[in-house]
Amino acid sequence: MSDATLHATAQDPDDFAVQIADQVESFLVAVSEVAKGEDPDSAVPFLLLEVSQLLLAGGRLGAHEDILPDERYEPDLGPEPDVDEIRERLAVMLEPIDVYSEVFDPYEPRKAPVPARISDDLADVITDLRHGMAHYRAGRTTEAMWWWQFSYFSNWGSTASASLRALQSLVAHVRLNQPLPELDGLDTDVSMGDETLEFEAGAVMAEEIAGPLGIRPVK
């Protein structure tokens, strides 16, 4: 979406808030397009690129000084837009590799990995970003920036980082011709306890998922 569409023409395109909003809008549009499933052959590389670019915006927010809202209480935005359709479409598209293992906080000792889903992660990130975008579109730029920065620290930053790690790992498995073990029995509804995650029988060779997911091994 162009600056003329998303922003008032009087706004400076070099302004920090405009740049962050542009990146947020780009991510929201891109992931929504991927979820339509019209080009599944490029889904994983495209998501890898978009999540990487979003996290650059997140890093800029994280390095920025604290942004304080103009009002003590956040204005009511009404009901949040439903992201279930996007979540479900992504889950179907990514079904062979949607579930992965993640450690929530790398600085907490002896934390066992837990199962997560890329589709859930991306839907959660979209929810946070849309919330801030609603403020931005209503002209409450400082409120939007405060929300994006706060939720970057509290949720979408770590969530997007986890999904990026999973996407990068998947691409690396395929490009390096490394077999990808099947996550047999791994489910986000089941706790893995304190045991190390075990990849059980039934190897899914990289070439079996490379075509449908749009990635090819290095020759």
Side-chain angles (χ1 to χ4, degrees), residues 42-201:
S42 61
V44 167
F46 199 56
L47 289 174
L48 177 67
L49 176 62
E50 289 299 324
V51 176
S52 297
Q53 291 179 333
L54 177 67
L55 283 170
L56 174 59
R60 295 182 68 192
L61 285 166
H64 196 279
E65 63 184 7
D66 287 349
I67 301 169
L68 300 178
D70 294 327
E71 303 177 29
R72 182 176 180 182
Y73 298 104
E74 182 182 9
D76 184 15
L77 293 172
E80 297 283 354
D82 188 11
V83 296
D84 283 346
E85 182 177 359
I86 292 178
R87 186 194 312 271
E88 291 167 4
R89 286 178 176 272
L90 288 172
V92 170
M93 184 184 306
L94 301 174
E95 193 276 330
I97 43 83
D98 194 22
V99 180
Y100 68 97
S101 61
E102 171 65 5
V103 176
F104 280 134
D105 190 337
Y107 286 99
E108 288 192 35
R110 295 180 297 279
K111 282 290 184 180
V114 296
R117 292 184 183 272
I118 297 174
S119 56
D120 287 344
D121 290 348
L122 296 178
D124 289 348
V125 171
I126 286 173
T127 298
D128 279 345
L129 298 182
R130 280 181 174 177
H131 187 91
M133 185 58 72
H135 284 303
Y136 190 82
R137 291 186 185 281
R140 295 187 291 269
T141 301
T142 303
E143 188 77 32
M145 294 294 288
W146 169 79
W147 172 258
W148 284 328
Q149 185 186 58
F150 168 76
S151 57
Y152 169 76
F153 288 126
S154 63
N155 184 49
W156 74 259
S158 58
T159 302
S161 297
S163 62
L164 178 65
R165 180 71 181 93
L167 291 165
Q168 189 275 337
S169 178
L170 173 65
V171 172
H173 272 290
V174 174
R175 296 296 299 276
L176 298 176
N177 267 323
Q178 296 175 342
L180 185 66
E182 183 178 10
L183 303 182
D184 185 24
L186 179 59
D187 193 291
T188 54
D189 295 327
V190 178
S191 172
M192 294 191 299
D194 296 326
E195 297 181 359
T196 302
L197 176 66
E198 295 182 359
F199 295 147
E200 298 183 357

